[in-house]
Amino acid sequence: KKGTGQVCFGETPPKNTIKKIIVKTLNKEAAPFFDVLGPGKESHPEDWNRMIKELEKKGVEIKYKENAYAYCPSFKKGKPGQLHLDPNASISALEHEYTHFVQFEKRGFPSYRDTLKDTALVIKLEEEAYAVEIQRAKALGLDNVVQQLEKNLSDRIKSLSVDWSN
């Protein structure tokens, strides 16, 4: 079926909280903010804890795994899903996935299966979540992070547009 690839979906901090570095090579292409901000629980502990606590309070199952960045809708309509998250994810990666949670919550938590049926919606949701990260990168003047995030979004859209029926 078209668009049945994996659907799992990751405010600008005060400038004085960011290391004054120029990152020429992004080691974590899937989460380029890590190279600039480091782990979110260290760079923005209040924001990290607030989002994690809200997700837990609202019934999201959080599974920590290295290099994992995904909010996965539940198979049961009306129920929150799972967050798969690198325990050392940047605050930006957590915000991206948190954005997906909020998107699904506003829609009454559609099921995983229902979500798969609407590739255009999934693309829209990805564009919105990446926009949060891109806005942060632009505000900080991190052109290389902006470029990597735009590439990640483009790659994600291409992966969602694949015809999986063959």
Side-chain angles (χ1 to χ4, degrees):
K1 296 174 191 165
K2 185 171 183 163
T4 58
Q6 185 179 4
V7 171
C8 301
F9 298 96
E11 139 192 354
T12 302
K15 289 189 179 189
N16 62 356
T17 66
I18 298 172
K19 300 170 195 168
K20 293 271 184 180
I21 60 172
I22 297 174
V23 179
K24 293 184 179 178
T25 303
L26 299 172
N27 295 318
K28 289 199 167 214
E29 291 179 352
F33 257 111
F34 180 84
D35 293 316
V36 179
L37 301 176
K41 61 187 171 190
E42 295 174 14
S43 67
H44 296 79
E46 298 85 12
D47 292 336
W48 179 276
N49 291 330
R50 176 186 48 79
M51 284 185 275
I52 293 295
K53 285 179 183 175
E54 182 176 346
L55 291 164
E56 290 173 337
K57 180 180 174 185
K58 294 194 175 180
V60 174
E61 181 182 1
I62 301 175
K63 295 188 173 210
Y64 293 100
K65 183 179 179 186
E66 193 172 322
N67 295 317
Y69 305 98
Y71 176 77
C72 300
S74 174
F75 285 99
K76 293 184 179 182
K77 185 176 182 175
K79 302 281 185 193
Q82 293 180 337
L83 175 64
H84 299 253
L85 187 66
D86 187 316
N88 292 309
S90 70
I91 194 67
S92 181
L94 175 57
E95 285 174 327
H96 178 111
E97 303 311 332
Y98 179 83
T99 297
H100 287 310
F101 163 77
V102 170
Q103 293 166 328
F104 277 80
E105 182 181 43
K106 286 180 181 177
R107 288 169 172 77
F109 294 116
S111 72
Y112 183 84
R113 178 173 285 129
D114 289 343
T115 303
L116 287 175
K117 294 177 185 176
D118 194 346
T119 303
L121 173 62
V122 176
I123 289 171
K124 179 182 178 221
L125 298 178
E126 285 294 350
E127 289 171 338
E128 290 173 1
Y130 272 101
V132 172
E133 291 189 277
I134 291 168
Q135 178 184 4
R136 179 190 288 266
K138 285 181 178 179
L140 297 173
L142 300 171
D143 295 338
N144 57 339
V145 174
V146 170
Q147 290 170 358
Q148 184 63 52
L149 290 168
E150 288 172 344
K151 180 186 181 307
N152 293 355
L153 173 58
S154 176
D155 291 347
R156 181 69 174 129
I157 290 171
K158 287 175 190 170
S159 77
L160 292 167
S161 301
V162 170
D163 183 352
W164 296 95
S165 62
N166 296 333

